[in-house]
Amino acid sequence: MRAAKSNLPQGTLDLLILKVVALGPVHGYAIAQRLLQVSRDVVQVPQGSLYPALHRLENRGLLAADWNETETGREAKFYRLTRKGRAELGTEAASWQRLTEAVGLILGMAEGGTK
Amino acid sequence: MRAAKSNLPQGTLDLLILKVVALGPVHGYAIAQRLLQVSRDVVQVPQGSLYPALHRLENRGLLAADWNETETGREAKFYRLTRKGRAELGTEAASWQRLTEAVGLILGMAEGGTK
DNA sequence: CGCTTATACCTCGGACTTCTACACATTAAC
DNA sequence: GTTAATGTGTAGAAGTCCGAGGTATAAGCG
């Protein structure tokens, strides 16, 4: 029962990355671990999804990056949020909330009462 | 400025369709209207998304369809849930809930306290 | 020294959805 | 007869996710 497919819906990954980076500069590998930890292993981000997403966000001007040294004494690329990225985070978070509310309404629609 | 892009994340559409069909046989056009109504115009499903999705679900054996007459006296394809479809609905609904909880945890991560 | 594990970065290609736009058909209103 | 609403459908483009692979450093073990 290892199941627990991550299966993040399209577009959600960007939102989560922006949120983690908003808390302070982090490198890619740490982002994945943080998501895994906070979500209690529900959100698993493969590297093949993570790094392209980071580059996308950087190209869109939502993230900026610098090379620095990690606590373990290794070079890593630390990402931080730009002003534009912070605005985008707000927009996407609001959008996410609106969507989940709407889906909640739909899933809560009454039926016969089989349950 | 009609904004209000639906922009449903991948996979979500299937879940919503299954839920609406679970309430009773309906035809495609009515599904879109129902979603629009219940979600207060948040969930807008273009026809180019709706019909391919219905065919996908039918091919996967989650939906079955019959031609019948609508209240307005026109022929339409009425979809209903198969046993497999009902099981899938349960699985996906649970999956959705698990995911939204996880995302909620992440979005709720404390930071400085700007809020 | 060689082997393995963990950290840390990256790319490529396939597979899948979604959306814009269009085409077709029927019913009703004017 | 022409407009609008209803109702189903396809084609192509665009975008994203993920598996599989590659590079490199550091630390531990036999």
Side-chain angles (χ1 to χ4, degrees):
Chain A
M1 78 100 128
R2 69 293 317 266
K5 300 182 293 184
S6 47
N7 246 350
L8 276 185
Q10 211 163 6
T12 309
L13 182 56
D14 290 6
L15 169 62
L16 297 181
I17 290 177
L18 288 176
K19 176 63 185 178
V20 172
V21 175
L23 302 184
V26 275
H27 55 270
Y29 195 87
I31 293 176
Q33 294 204 321
R34 193 70 104 103
L35 289 175
L36 199 62
Q37 176 191 359
V38 176
S39 72
R40 294 176 197 151
D41 294 13
V42 174
V43 178
Q44 303 176 30
V45 184
Q47 301 184 335
S49 307
L50 178 65
Y51 289 109
L54 285 172
H55 299 154
R56 248 186 347 251
L57 293 171
E58 196 178 0
N59 284 338
R60 283 208 283 154
L62 305 179
L63 294 182
D66 308 287
W67 287 93
N68 274 310
E69 204 169 307
T70 70
E71 293 182 3
T72 62
R74 202 163 331 179
E75 290 289 309
K77 208 171 175 182
F78 283 79
Y79 289 92
R80 54 188 162 72
L81 221 54
T82 63
R83 179 190 298 268
K84 213 170 147 192
R86 194 166 296 275
E88 179 74 8
L89 171 57
T91 303
E92 287 199 21
S95 186
W96 169 262
Q97 191 162 351
R98 203 178 313 125
L99 177 70
T100 51
E101 272 175 26
V103 174
L105 280 175
I106 293 166
L107 293 184
M109 288 196 294
E111 41 181 332
T114 311
K115 190 235 195 93
Chain B
M1 201 253 242
R2 65 294 316 250
K5 303 183 292 187
S6 45
N7 248 349
L8 279 185
Q10 211 164 6
T12 309
L13 181 57
D14 290 5
L15 169 61
L16 297 181
I17 290 177
L18 289 176
K19 176 62 185 178
V20 172
V21 175
L23 303 185
V26 275
H27 55 271
Y29 194 86
I31 293 175
Q33 293 203 323
R34 193 70 105 105
L35 289 175
L36 198 62
Q37 176 189 3
V38 176
S39 73
R40 295 176 198 153
D41 294 12
V42 174
V43 178
Q44 304 176 30
V45 183
Q47 304 182 335
S49 305
L50 177 66
Y51 290 108
L54 286 172
H55 299 156
R56 250 189 341 257
L57 293 171
E58 196 178 359
N59 283 338
R60 283 207 282 154
L62 305 179
L63 293 182
D66 308 288
W67 286 92
N68 275 311
E69 204 168 309
T70 70
E71 293 183 3
T72 62
R74 202 162 331 176
E75 289 290 308
K77 209 170 174 183
F78 283 78
Y79 289 92
R80 54 190 161 69
L81 223 53
T82 63
R83 180 189 298 270
K84 213 171 150 192
R86 194 166 295 275
E88 178 74 8
L89 171 57
T91 303
E92 286 198 22
S95 187
W96 169 263
Q97 192 162 353
R98 203 178 314 123
L99 176 71
T100 51
E101 272 174 26
V103 174
L105 281 175
I106 293 165
L107 292 185
M109 286 196 296
E111 39 180 333
T114 311
K115 192 218 193 106

